[in-house]
Amino acid sequence: EALSTQSAKVEIDEKTEEYLDMACDLLGLGVVSVAKVLKFREMHVNRQGRISHIKCPRTLAQARQTLQCIIKILYKRLFDKIVSSINEVSNSGAARQSEGNYHNIGTLDIYGFERLESNSFEQLCINLANERLQQFFVEEVLEAEQRMYRDERLNVHSMELPDSAPVVSGIHSVLRLLDE
């Protein structure tokens, strides 16, 4: 038996409903089912062997949090699928079999290389943040030091500084595609 304690506190406007329709179509989900999940929380109460299903309306803040959780789960599953596909393609064939060599995609962060096959979407976000911090440090501190040495005409050999812009740009491109 399903009881509804109240009507929905959250309503979906026309523009949001268009986005919800598109998202549900792409994901193969029913719009009514997803809207129900966003608007209501279902509780199952077991009393003396009898199970009651209670629908409790969500507040706007709760609906937004639920939507953010759904988005996070989708990103994680999509990321895991992409990494799995990349690993499957790069680890197949003769390259993998000859002397244990294989292709690897790594993201350099402050602490070293991370292997994507054993990391999560959250780890990629952490690596991206670290990479951006590292690039900021290189640009603002190390390059400034080298400029200062040149300005003061100190005889110090300049060194090639790492440029993580291509890595950061690549990851940002992928994240933009995921957002679309």
Side-chain angles (χ1 to χ4, degrees):
E1 114 192 51
L3 303 172
S4 181
T5 57
Q6 298 176 15
S7 61
K9 293 181 180 179
V10 177
E11 293 302 322
I12 300 173
D13 63 27
E14 280 185 43
K15 189 66 173 169
T16 304
E17 192 166 347
E18 286 179 41
Y19 293 129
L20 185 62
D21 285 340
M22 281 192 294
C24 288
D25 185 48
L26 289 170
L27 295 168
L29 301 172
V31 176
V32 174
S33 298
V34 173
K36 182 179 165 186
V37 167
L38 293 173
K39 291 179 177 184
F40 296 96
R41 175 174 52 100
E42 284 194 40
M43 295 174 42
H44 304 277
V45 180
N46 187 354
R47 289 191 186 152
Q48 300 171 345
R50 183 177 168 198
I51 298 175
S52 298
H53 302 279
I54 302 170
K55 287 184 358 182
C56 301
R58 295 186 194 273
T59 64
L60 182 58
Q62 290 169 334
R64 284 183 177 151
Q65 183 178 14
T66 301
L67 179 61
Q68 291 299 316
C69 288
I70 291 170
I71 291 169
K72 182 178 178 182
I73 290 167
L74 288 172
Y75 265 78
K76 181 190 180 322
R77 289 184 179 174
L78 186 56
F79 176 80
D80 289 345
K81 177 66 176 162
I82 291 169
V83 169
S84 175
S85 296
I86 290 170
N87 287 337
E88 188 175 305
V89 169
S90 66
N91 290 339
S92 65
R96 178 72 174 160
Q97 294 172 358
S98 66
E99 300 176 19
N101 293 331
Y102 62 94
H103 300 284
N104 183 27
I105 296 176
T107 305
L108 178 64
D109 66 15
I110 294 170
Y111 303 104
F113 284 99
E114 300 289 341
R115 291 182 60 170
L116 295 182
E117 69 183 309
S118 62
N119 286 319
S120 63
F121 178 71
E122 290 84 0
Q123 185 64 45
L124 177 69
C125 293
I126 291 166
N127 286 3
L128 178 61
N130 286 342
E131 199 61 47
R132 293 178 71 191
L133 287 169
Q134 179 69 19
Q135 189 62 31
F136 178 79
F137 177 78
V138 166
E139 291 172 359
E140 297 299 318
V141 176
L142 298 179
E143 287 179 2
E145 286 289 317
Q146 286 189 357
R147 279 192 306 275
M148 183 181 72
Y149 296 154
R150 278 192 306 272
D151 292 346
E152 294 179 3
R153 294 189 175 107
L154 296 174
N155 190 15
V156 176
H157 295 283
S158 65
M159 61 181 168
E160 185 76 23
L161 297 173
D163 181 14
S164 65
V167 173
V168 172
S169 176
I171 294 172
H172 276 274
S173 296
V174 171
L175 293 177
R176 272 194 297 279
L177 285 173
L178 289 174
D179 280 339
E180 289 178 14

